[in-house]
Amino acid sequence: MSKVTAPTTDPTKMGVGRAIAVLTSGGDAQGMNAAVRATVRVGLYTGAKVFFVHEGYQGLVDGGDHIRPATWESVSMMLQLGGTVIGSARCQDFRTREGRTKAAYNLVKLGITNLCVIGGDGSLTGANQFRTEWSSLLADLITEGKITEEEAKNSSHLNIVGMVGSIDNDFCGTDMTIGTDSALHRIMEVVDCITTTAQSHQRAFILEVMGRHCGYLALVTALACGADWVFIPEMPPEDGWEDHLCRRLMETRNQGSRLNVIIVAEGAMDRNREPITCEQLRQLVTKRLGFDTRATILGHVQRGGTPSAFDRILGSRMGVEAVMALLEATPDTPACVVSLSGNQAVRLPLMECVQVTKDVTVAMEEGRYEDAVKLRGKSFENNWNTYKLLAHIRPPDIKSNINVAIVNVGAPCAGMNAAVRSAVRIGIIQGHNMLAVHDGFDGFAHGKIEPITWNDVGDWTGRGGSMLGTKRTLPGKYIEEISLNIAKHNIHALVIIGGFEALSGGLELVQAREKYEELCIPMVVIPATVSNNVPGSDFSIGADTALNTITMTCDRIKQSAAGTKRRVFIIETMGGYCGYLATMSGLAAGADAAYIFEEKFGIHDLETNVEHLVQKMKTTVKRGLILRNENCNSNYTTDFIFNLYTEEGKGVFDCRKNVLGHMQQGGTPTPFDRNFGTKMGAKSVLWLTEKLKECYRHGRIFANTPDSACVLGMKKRGLVFQALSELKEQTDFEHRIPKSQWWLKLRPIMKILAKYKINLDTSEHALMEHVISKRGPVPMPVTVK
């Protein structure tokens, strides 16, 4: 789909004379505050007046003090708060025409003709009805003498833009709704706690998670913790599932597992549409198998707590896009919802998304379960297929006689073990013999290679670091030893999981194919590094966990700064020459600046930042947060910037510095990294299996084409394989970064949200994308505002 280029307008004048109201409605979700904050600040940046509507639609109907002007400072310190600061309420009054008439009156009197609604499908459907009736509501108000013809003329049209806030991820057309990732964080914290106690006592645990109509939380939880079984509303189990379940649990116990985990969505049901409950499952497992079984219902703890880094960035990006969509809307533009497709912000017709969401319910009611899964979108379908592969298929009796080796390379990161686990298990399911290479290419050269089994990797999903052991050594100087070990262990294919060293090492192996025939085997590189600097993938395993660690630390530091007042913190993040962590954590934590290698800066920029903070200290927000990527500039070191700020801030603010260091690599992996690692590991081995068939010649494997050695990466919406040789052109080897990086276009958002007067390019407009009759939105070129 093409972009539409419009004459460039001054973004700081786009909203002059306009008024925008923002409200949160329905159930609360972590990340709503980030969306409110971005809507307010970008609205003010464009010159518009912005209003809070407190208590959702009830506040819209009641008016008065419920609709209040928002200021820049009134949304400070909101980012890290869960729930919604402006309140949400279920509103019966708004469901009546009388209630909507009152709401229209309140908006007209304040000159508000742009409404931003953050909520679920019910809230957004209500907003669309309000918009559709707007003209007739104004006519009623004129007839009743409550507003004048002039007032009606000035408010003749109402623009609506929605953002989906729902922890269930149950709104079709969007990859992730605000709050889903944070809810998964809460769930995984509980699962990790439960598994330790369950292993101690050899227990079976049944965990019920939210999702009355959508099984997303249950499905991703099951993938992320390696559950024995998951029950979701979209795909009820086949008749006789009780026998199948008990057989599965018994098998895993007989294989040496000390615990069983069953995940249940609250809306789970069987093929007769009868509910499947935690208690029913507990009794089944206890009576049939005699296992010590416990049931836990998580409830509202899933909605609570601080939002994850992903939800803060998602809410912030959606808020920016929502304001732009409102100010660019014409009377002919349908009400839209701003959403995320892969890593791109998109606009979708609101009622089309609502229709597809309803279609899922109809498909489930009619027993068309395969359709229900497809209608949920590609992401849901991929998760379901990966889960089925890992949980529902027994290893075959006939072996393939193929040996696949797995090696971890570079620095350790959270999520590596999840990738190894799924690669090993998918390989075994395919009939292959799986081999673990310990301690990277160094271990490969020294023959640290041994078989790895199904049970060996049982509980690896939630473990941080690298269980195989990893080193930064490149294979170049060990090529001969590595090729001898490939021959000795009869290795037919190789999975390399790691950071930039994995890419460089893979290239060295490919280049050595001319000399060493043993290296003519299919290879796949899975990017896994906190730095997120591997070409060929928008995301690397481990980066999300590091980002959350930095964001959580920044929250605590900001809290300290808010307490002491007039304090600026300078924090150094990892990432080598790649500014991903500094930029994204800056966006998630509400930093005033983030210095990175990719965006050159000099003494003038540092002066501008110091002056900005001096002005900030005159407001009620008396604190500052500055992030610096470790290799952003060899002269402007963290100490230099700290000393400069300390000197220039004398009498106005004082400074503190923190170097976060290796804590960014540690910890248990986030749900995203567990799920991402699991899908990457599975897809890599399935791809290798196909490649091995293609490369089988005269009784042996021979692979020397460029497409037989690939990087598996996430690009925009999907997982794609790209030849290592092709990626050479896209790589800055000196600085170990890709030549082009998608996240750089988000940097202006961070600066605008920190109140810098910078220009936001509004020359490109995203075309509205349609979702009806498709299995989810097709990616489109779109400028992220």
Side-chain angles (χ1 to χ4, degrees):
M1 188 166 285
S2 60
K3 297 173 188 171
V4 176
T5 304
T8 307
T9 52
D10 179 355
T12 60
K13 302 284 191 293
M14 281 176 74
V16 173
R18 314 275 291 275
I20 299 169
V22 57
L23 66 87
T24 54
S25 173
D28 63 308
Q30 310 97 314
M32 279 183 164
N33 291 324
V36 170
R37 172 180 175 269
T39 305
V40 168
R41 289 193 168 177
V42 177
L44 294 171
Y45 163 83
T46 64
K49 283 184 183 171
V50 186
F51 292 84
F52 290 133
V53 179
H54 290 268
E55 312 308 331
Y57 284 123
Q58 194 63 55
L60 208 58
V61 173
D62 294 344
D65 256 2
H66 287 96
I67 307 175
R68 281 179 279 197
T71 66
W72 196 274
E73 291 161 43
S74 63
V75 292
S76 180
M77 289 299 272
M78 274 173 75
L79 257 179
Q80 63 269 41
L81 300 177
T84 164
V85 169
I86 59 173
S88 180
R90 309 280 179 191
C91 178
Q92 290 304 318
D93 291 347
F94 194 73
R95 293 172 186 268
T96 66
R97 178 149 180 118
E98 184 188 355
R100 292 192 293 277
T101 307
K102 285 181 184 174
Y105 170 78
N106 291 328
L107 292 182
V108 169
K109 285 297 180 186
L110 291 167
I112 299 167
T113 55
N114 298 281
L115 190 59
C116 181
V117 179
I118 307 164
D121 59 344
S123 305
L124 300 182
T125 305
N128 190 66
Q129 184 182 1
F130 189 39
R131 177 183 182 271
T132 309
E133 291 178 349
W134 184 255
S135 299
S136 63
L137 295 175
L138 295 191
D140 289 353
L141 288 168
I142 292 169
T143 306
E144 292 167 21
K146 290 186 175 172
I147 63 170
T148 64
E149 294 274 1
E150 185 65 24
E151 284 174 322
K153 188 180 170 190
N154 292 338
S155 301
S156 61
H157 182 72
L158 180 71
N159 293 321
I160 296 276
V161 168
M163 287 183 255
V164 190
S166 161
I167 67 165
D168 294 338
N169 204 26
D170 56 354
F171 194 78
C172 292
T174 174
D175 282 359
M176 286 287 266
T177 56
I178 296 169
T180 305
D181 187 66
S182 301
L184 286 168
H185 274 251
R186 292 299 89 74
I187 295 167
M188 289 316 303
E189 284 164 17
V190 173
V191 170
D192 286 348
C193 294
I194 280 175
T195 47
T196 54
T197 178
Q199 280 180 326
S200 304
H201 298 277
Q202 293 202 48
R203 281 184 177 145
F205 259 94
I206 300 155
L207 189 75
E208 183 189 287
V209 300
M210 282 185 167
R212 195 167 297 132
H213 307 294
C214 178
Y216 185 88
L217 289 179
L219 180 53
V220 174
T221 300
L223 265 182
C225 74
D228 295 287
W229 199 287
V230 66
F231 292 94
I232 60 171
E234 289 86 351
M235 186 59 76
E238 301 284 351
D239 293 339
W241 58 268
E242 295 91 343
D243 298 334
H244 190 176
L245 170 66
C246 291
R247 189 169 63 247
R248 166 87 53 76
L249 299 182
M250 206 68 225
E251 279 173 3
T252 53
R253 281 293 167 96
N254 291 339
Q255 287 167 350
S257 174
R258 290 182 60 85
L259 84 153
N260 298 105
V261 178
I262 299 167
I263 308 292
V264 192
E266 63 180 324
M269 60 183 83
D270 62 20
R271 297 267 158 158
N272 299 318
R273 304 196 62 73
E274 292 296 322
I276 295 174
T277 65
C278 266
E279 183 54 28
Q280 176 191 348
L281 291 168
R282 192 188 67 77
Q283 288 181 14
L284 172 72
V285 176
T286 308
K287 283 178 184 171
R288 291 258 196 115
L289 302 176
F291 289 177
D292 185 1
T293 308
R294 298 284 190 275
T296 303
I297 297 173
L298 276 190
H300 281 74
V301 75
Q302 294 160 85
R303 285 192 192 280
T306 188
S308 67
F310 180 92
D311 273 329
R312 300 179 198 198
I313 293 164
L314 175 64
S316 300
R317 291 180 66 186
M318 283 188 177
V320 177
E321 191 65 30
V323 171
M324 290 301 156
L326 280 170
L327 298 181
E328 290 167 6
T330 67
D332 300 325
T333 312
C336 82
V337 58
V338 295
S339 166
L340 199 68
S341 172
N343 60 27
Q344 295 183 305
V346 294
R347 303 176 190 176
L348 308 165
L350 171 59
M351 293 319 290
E352 285 188 18
C353 293
V354 169
Q355 184 57 53
V356 178
T357 305
K358 286 177 178 169
D359 290 346
V360 176
T361 310
V362 172
M364 283 154 58
E365 285 171 355
E366 292 176 357
R368 294 183 289 109
Y369 302 117
E370 296 289 343
D371 289 347
V373 169
K374 283 190 169 69
L375 285 164
R376 278 274 179 239
K378 207 70 184 158
S379 169
F380 191 96
E381 193 180 358
N382 287 343
N383 284 329
W384 175 247
N385 290 336
T386 306
Y387 167 75
K388 278 195 303 184
L389 264 180
L390 285 165
H392 282 255
I393 299 174
R394 291 182 177 185
D397 297 324
I398 303 163
K399 292 282 188 181
S400 67
N401 293 323
I402 292 292
N403 299 321
V404 180
I406 302 176
V407 61
N408 286 353
V409 183
C413 68
M416 271 184 164
N417 297 322
V420 174
R421 174 186 176 272
S422 72
V424 166
R425 290 196 163 181
I426 292 291
I428 291 169
I429 287 165
Q430 300 286 312
H432 308 327
N433 302 306
M434 303 304 290
L435 299 172
V437 180
H438 296 279
D439 301 335
F441 287 122
D442 195 295
F444 210 147
H446 292 98
K448 294 184 181 177
I449 302 164
E450 61 181 14
I452 187 164
T453 66
W454 186 277
N455 286 343
D456 289 339
V457 295
D459 61 348
W460 281 23
T461 324
R463 294 204 187 184
S466 165
M467 299 293 287
L468 293 182
T470 179
K471 289 192 175 176
R472 291 183 181 272
T473 317
L474 289 174
K477 59 181 179 181
Y478 291 126
I479 288 290
E480 188 151 343
E481 292 88 337
I482 288 171
S483 62
L484 285 171
N485 275 316
I486 288 174
K488 180 182 172 184
H489 293 272
N490 198 19
I491 293 168
H492 302 105
L494 182 61
V495 179
I496 306 168
I497 302 170
F500 202 86
E501 289 88 356
L503 175 90
S504 305
L507 276 166
E508 286 184 7
L509 294 178
V510 168
Q511 281 155 7
R513 277 176 169 178
E514 291 174 19
K515 195 172 173 189
Y516 297 94
E517 208 173 281
E518 295 85 354
L519 297 173
C520 293
I521 57 172
M523 304 175 200
V524 63
V525 173
I526 297 177
T529 166
V530 300
S531 304
N532 198 33
N533 63 336
V534 180
S537 190
D538 293 341
F539 298 102
S540 295
I541 296 166
D544 186 68
T545 304
L547 188 55
N548 276 282
T549 302
I550 299 166
T551 304
M552 199 166 57
T553 309
C554 288
D555 284 351
R556 291 172 181 173
I557 285 168
K558 274 177 75 178
Q559 191 178 44
S560 161
T564 46
K565 303 277 194 295
R566 299 183 184 279
R567 182 163 285 176
V568 174
F569 276 88
I570 292 147
I571 298 170
E572 182 188 297
T573 67
M574 275 183 156
Y577 285 97
C578 180
Y580 176 83
L581 286 179
T583 297
M584 297 307 254
S585 51
L587 200 51
D592 294 283
Y595 300 120
I596 64 168
F597 170 76
E598 293 91 342
E599 195 173 276
K600 302 301 178 203
F601 62 97
I603 198 71
H604 173 69
D605 301 291
L606 293 169
E607 283 174 349
T608 304
N609 296 150
V610 170
E611 181 53 35
H612 180 264
L613 285 168
V614 168
Q615 294 306 316
K616 191 177 179 183
M617 296 300 159
K618 295 176 183 174
T619 71
T620 57
V621 188
K622 300 183 190 302
R623 57 162 204 286
L625 182 67
I626 304 291
L627 294 171
R628 179 189 175 275
N629 163 247
E630 58 185 351
N631 287 351
C632 65
N633 189 298
S634 56
N635 294 314
Y636 298 135
T637 61
T638 302
D639 285 338
F640 176 91
I641 291 174
F642 168 71
N643 292 333
L644 175 77
Y645 274 67
T646 302
E647 181 63 33
E648 296 298 319
K650 274 183 180 169
V652 183
F653 59 79
D654 65 347
C655 286
R656 296 287 186 275
K657 68 177 175 191
N658 280 64
V659 177
L660 297 186
H662 282 76
M663 64 182 286
Q664 295 161 83
Q665 284 180 348
T668 55
T670 58
F672 178 89
D673 278 332
R674 297 180 198 207
N675 190 17
F676 190 37
T678 299
K679 284 198 277 199
M680 296 280 267
K683 197 167 181 75
S684 66
V685 174
L686 293 174
W687 179 82
L688 283 174
T689 303
E690 288 306 308
K691 272 283 167 246
L692 285 163
K693 289 175 190 169
E694 288 174 28
C695 302
Y696 189 72
R697 300 273 187 283
H698 312 298
R700 57 191 283 263
I701 303 294
F702 186 78
N704 68 343
T705 55
D707 69 351
S708 65
C710 285
V711 170
L712 170 58
M714 167 77 82
K715 297 295 279 184
K716 293 184 179 164
R717 266 190 74 80
L719 295 177
V720 293
F721 291 90
Q722 288 170 277
L724 277 163
S725 53
E726 284 175 21
L727 290 171
K728 273 171 76 173
E729 302 303 312
Q730 301 171 28
T731 308
D732 172 353
F733 282 97
E734 183 190 347
H735 299 104
R736 297 160 56 91
I737 52 173
K739 287 179 181 172
S740 135
Q741 301 185 86
W742 67 272
W743 50 266
L744 284 166
K745 65 191 174 193
L746 300 186
R747 284 184 63 78
I749 297 177
M750 184 180 71
K751 292 174 183 173
I752 287 167
L753 294 177
K755 210 175 183 179
Y756 281 93
K757 290 279 186 282
I758 68 154
N759 194 30
L760 190 64
D761 179 17
T762 56
S763 61
E764 290 177 335
H765 293 231
L767 287 177
M768 192 80 83
E769 175 63 41
H770 293 280
V771 292
I772 290 286
S773 81
K774 293 182 185 173
R775 287 162 49 165
V778 174
M780 60 178 177
V782 57
T783 303
V784 179
K785 307 295 189 302

